[in-house]
Amino acid sequence: MSGFVDQAQLHARAGDGGAGAVSWRREAHVDRGGPDGGDGGHGGDVWLVASVNESSLLGFRDHPFRRATDGVHGSGSKRHGARGKDLVVPVPVGTVVRGRDGRVVCDLATDGARFLVAEGGQGGRGNARFLSNRRRAPAFAEQGEKGQEFWLDMELKLMADVALVGFPNAGKSTLISTVSAAKPKIADYPFTTLEPHLGVVRVGGVRDGTEFVMADIPGLVEGAAAGKGLGHQFLRHIERARVLVVLLDLAAPGLGGDVPSTQLRILLSELGSYRPELLDRPRLVAGSKADVASDAEGVCGMVLSAATGQGVPALVARLATLVDEARREAAAVASSEVIVHRPAPEGVDVRRAGDGAWVVVGRAAERAVAFSDLNDDGALAEAVRRLRRLGVDRALARAGARDGDEVTVGTMTFTWGEDS
């Protein structure tokens, strides 16, 4: 079973808010003590946090469900319920979150970046909150709001400094195993690498040297940009690399393969077709297997042999220089602040549910009618006041609602009238 997963689903369920309490102060020698119901606690939120300690989405493959805890109900003596605990879910840096419609909702491209996946429901207010000069004995409280619940798609785009790009069996796995501690599968047949491998390469001393991450991307074939040979699954791991190494197989012509110039043309064409900006990325063109063949066409910037070590130190040194330059350019425009992503607040929307029927949707509208007893005149009056404050009456009028139409908001259904 593969230990690397770069696509997974997430079902995020925030905690429900606790209900407010309907309670009355009852003490000896205290006549008409009044309402003392406490508020319910808010439900816990679900957060995604990018972490360098995570390298794969493997933990979501068989268990996509993540749920925060509910808020505690309020109680008498104005005791408020405890807030539900937030759930923090670590994901690899480079995780892209999409809605079920394919739209990108968040890109966690930096370490520590946070995304509020699902917001916990607000706790309901107890009846003590509704005490006023006009309402001396409120016998109702708010229900807790339901927490948000979403299915999301996640995909991982590796955050590597250097990406090795080449045809299958071009020597990429052998090279990364030579310059780092990565141990990918190596064999003398194509497509031995079916998942990316990362290796850390160090150049120079501990204090004055350069350390960078190299990615061994599975081999590309002609048509990869159109999805051939799982091309899209492999190409997305190249998107964020600072430097590209186009590795050409110098021994391929003798084995019936393409000459280096044809390999280079096809690989650059596939990169440009997938993301044109990849062609502007710093890159090195290197020929591999120099111990058994030569660069007869002279298309390679350098030649090397991972088997004998020929040209490898020069390649690594050149890559370290390019990575340092790319990092300095990125640092000039990057911010050191932790990025926190929050979804845009949703408004109130009026939708036709049939002939003479309307549904008002939106968390604010549903929260406005979330009372423990809508048969209570005081609760009903409060719900109507809140809906008017949200502009629901104006929205219904603009939508074309007529006197006598049926309007549903959450658990409340009423007959619409211009003067209601």
Side-chain angles (χ1 to χ4, degrees):
M1 180 179 293
S2 173
F4 180 84
V5 174
D6 55 5
Q7 288 183 308
Q9 289 186 323
L10 168 68
H11 180 265
R13 172 77 161 84
D16 297 337
V22 176
S23 176
W24 307 93
R25 183 180 178 189
R26 292 290 184 264
E27 294 183 28
H29 312 298
V30 178
D31 185 32
R32 298 180 182 178
D36 68 351
D39 301 343
H42 291 350
D45 302 328
V46 180
W47 290 84
L48 288 184
V49 179
S51 171
V52 294
N53 297 322
E54 300 292 323
S55 59
S56 168
L57 298 173
L58 177 64
F60 297 91
R61 181 172 62 184
D62 298 323
H63 184 65
F65 302 97
R66 299 293 186 273
R67 176 165 185 176
T69 57
D70 297 337
V72 178
H73 300 322
S75 56
S77 300
K78 297 184 180 179
R79 290 191 294 267
H80 301 323
R83 177 187 173 91
K85 292 184 178 179
D86 291 349
L87 179 64
V88 177
V89 182
V91 294
V93 176
T95 298
V96 177
V97 183
R98 299 179 183 273
R100 301 315 301 271
D101 58 357
R103 179 178 54 88
V104 174
V105 295
C106 183
D107 187 353
L108 299 173
T110 58
D111 183 38
R114 300 167 62 90
F115 172 50
L116 180 59
V117 183
E119 185 178 1
Q122 288 190 4
R125 291 184 288 182
N127 66 334
R129 292 281 193 172
F130 300 100
L131 176 65
S132 67
N133 290 332
R134 299 176 59 185
R135 188 188 296 131
R136 303 305 301 170
F140 60 90
E142 285 181 328
Q143 298 281 26
E145 184 183 24
K146 293 291 185 181
Q148 291 182 321
E149 182 176 6
F150 298 108
W151 273 103
L152 298 166
D153 295 320
M154 296 188 297
E155 66 177 30
L156 173 61
K157 298 180 181 180
L158 292 179
M159 304 291 291
D161 295 300
V162 176
L164 301 178
V165 182
F167 277 76
N169 209 32
K172 302 183 296 297
S173 297
T174 304
L175 176 59
I176 196 172
S177 66
T178 301
V179 300
S180 73
K183 300 299 179 186
K185 181 180 179 180
I186 300 173
D188 59 353
Y189 55 85
F191 296 109
T192 53
T193 301
L194 296 177
E195 60 189 40
H197 292 89
L198 296 178
V200 179
V201 183
R202 172 168 286 281
V203 181
V206 176
R207 294 187 177 181
D208 57 351
T210 298
E211 188 174 272
F212 59 87
V213 177
M214 178 180 288
D216 170 22
I217 307 299
L220 302 179
V221 296
E222 189 169 9
K228 184 178 180 180
L230 300 180
H232 285 168
Q233 294 189 28
F234 297 159
L235 280 166
R236 72 164 172 270
H237 293 300
I238 303 173
E239 290 184 33
R240 303 180 190 248
R242 303 178 193 272
V243 179
L244 303 181
V245 176
V246 181
L247 202 60
L248 308 180
D249 186 355
L250 299 180
L255 301 174
D258 294 319
V259 297
S261 59
T262 302
Q263 295 178 47
L264 180 61
R265 176 183 58 79
I266 293 174
L267 290 171
L268 294 182
S269 175
E270 294 302 323
L271 292 177
S273 298
Y274 180 70
R275 289 282 189 276
E277 62 270 19
L278 290 176
L279 298 179
D280 299 326
R281 203 74 51 87
R283 68 172 179 263
L284 284 177
V285 178
S288 66
K289 305 178 184 179
D291 54 318
V292 295
S294 62
D295 180 18
E297 296 180 301
V299 298
C300 303
M302 58 179 61
V303 295
L304 56 96
S305 170
T308 64
Q310 174 189 346
V312 174
L315 173 68
V316 171
R318 178 59 181 152
L319 289 176
T321 301
L322 291 176
V323 169
D324 281 340
E325 293 174 354
R327 284 174 176 172
R328 284 195 293 270
E329 292 179 5
V333 297
S335 170
S336 60
E337 297 180 358
V338 174
I339 301 174
V340 178
H341 303 270
R342 293 178 183 271
E346 60 181 76
V348 175
D349 188 25
V350 174
R351 301 175 184 174
R352 184 183 291 276
D355 188 19
W358 304 85
V359 175
V360 180
V361 296
R363 295 187 76 190
E366 293 172 5
R367 189 183 303 138
V369 299
F371 289 99
S372 58
D373 183 9
L374 279 173
N375 291 319
D376 183 274
D377 291 341
L380 185 59
E382 179 67 17
V384 171
R385 184 186 67 83
R386 291 181 175 186
L387 291 175
R388 283 177 173 164
R389 189 171 57 188
L390 290 172
V392 171
D393 53 344
R394 295 190 298 273
L396 283 167
R398 287 195 300 269
R402 299 179 179 179
D403 287 350
D405 285 356
E406 186 178 83
V407 178
T408 300
V409 186
T411 59
M412 176 182 177
T413 301
F414 61 93
T415 302
W416 165 254
E418 291 289 351
D419 56 349
S420 62

